[in-house]
């Protein structure tokens, strides 16, 4: 059984015991807003020679992860010229679609360029098969509060 210390001895013992140093812990920072400008960072000194600059650029490029958009190859135009949806037009449609969805407070979490482009190309191929002498384009519209892509035959 443990002996009980008188209160006066406990106070003296507590004062006599040295405090352990507390580790320095930085206060948690709130996450940066996704649209906020990046914080200023220290810049590397200017390269002494063009070879140094080229080596630094090569190392920086190797350190960055490749994105799907950067590695994707644009779709080549078809032999007849006006017949397919080109990558530039598809990117315009995608940008307008996402902008419109956000303006009516719809989620854009599941909207990717690759999926949208694949879907539009397959739908355009089917429409071209049914209407061989017409071009296919798309228009972004809002109907009953929902953003839709309307095919346009020209």
């Amino acid at each position: 059984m443990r002996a009980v210390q008188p209160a006066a001895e406990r106070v003296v013992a507590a004062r006599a015991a040295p405090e352990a140093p507390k580790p320095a812990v930085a206060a948690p920072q709130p996450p940066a807003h996704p649209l906020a400008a990046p914080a200023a960072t220290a810049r590397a000194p200017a390269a002494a020679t063009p070879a140094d600059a080229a080596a630094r650029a090569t190392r920086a490029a190797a350190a960055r992860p490749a994105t799907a958009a950067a590695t994707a190859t644009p779709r080549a135009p078809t032999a007849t010229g006006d017949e397919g949806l080109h990558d530039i037009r598809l990117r315009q449609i995608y940008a307008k679609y996402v902008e419109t969805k956000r303006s009516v407070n719809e989620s854009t979490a599941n909207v990717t360029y690759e999926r949208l482009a694949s879907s539009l190309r397959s739908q355009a191929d089917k429409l071209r098969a049914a209407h061989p002498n017409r071009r296919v384009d798309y228009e972004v519209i809002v109907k009953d509060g929902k953003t839709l892509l309307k095919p346009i035959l020209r």
Side-chain angles (χ1 to χ4, degrees):
M1 184 142 120
R2 202 172 95 157
V4 178
Q5 275 184 323
E9 288 179 21
R10 283 189 297 229
V11 171
V12 172
R15 287 185 187 162
E19 279 190 36
K22 295 182 181 178
V25 177
Q29 297 293 324
H33 190 276
L35 299 178
T41 58
R43 293 181 54 94
T49 64
D52 291 342
R56 185 174 296 127
T58 302
R59 285 191 305 272
R64 288 190 299 267
T67 61
T71 58
T73 56
R75 187 175 176 139
T78 58
T80 57
D82 288 336
E83 211 176 292
L85 285 172
H86 302 290
D87 193 51
I88 294 169
R89 180 62 184 141
L90 286 171
R91 289 201 182 275
Q92 290 171 346
I93 294 168
Y94 171 76
K96 181 72 173 169
Y97 183 67
V98 170
E99 176 187 334
T100 305
K101 281 183 83 71
R102 288 181 179 154
S103 70
V104 295
N105 294 325
E106 286 185 79
S107 173
T108 58
N110 293 329
V111 179
T112 64
Y113 169 75
E114 290 79 16
R115 251 174 49 211
L116 183 74
S118 172
S119 174
L120 293 180
R121 284 183 179 130
S122 67
Q123 185 180 18
D125 290 342
K126 291 174 187 173
L127 288 170
R128 246 184 261 106
H131 307 278
N133 295 330
R134 303 188 74 184
R135 285 185 343 175
V136 179
D137 197 11
Y138 291 91
E139 181 181 358
V140 179
I141 61 169
V142 177
K143 184 175 181 179
D144 297 328
K146 292 195 65 139
T147 305
L148 303 172
L149 288 167
K150 178 180 178 182
I152 305 292
L153 298 172
R154 299 177 186 214

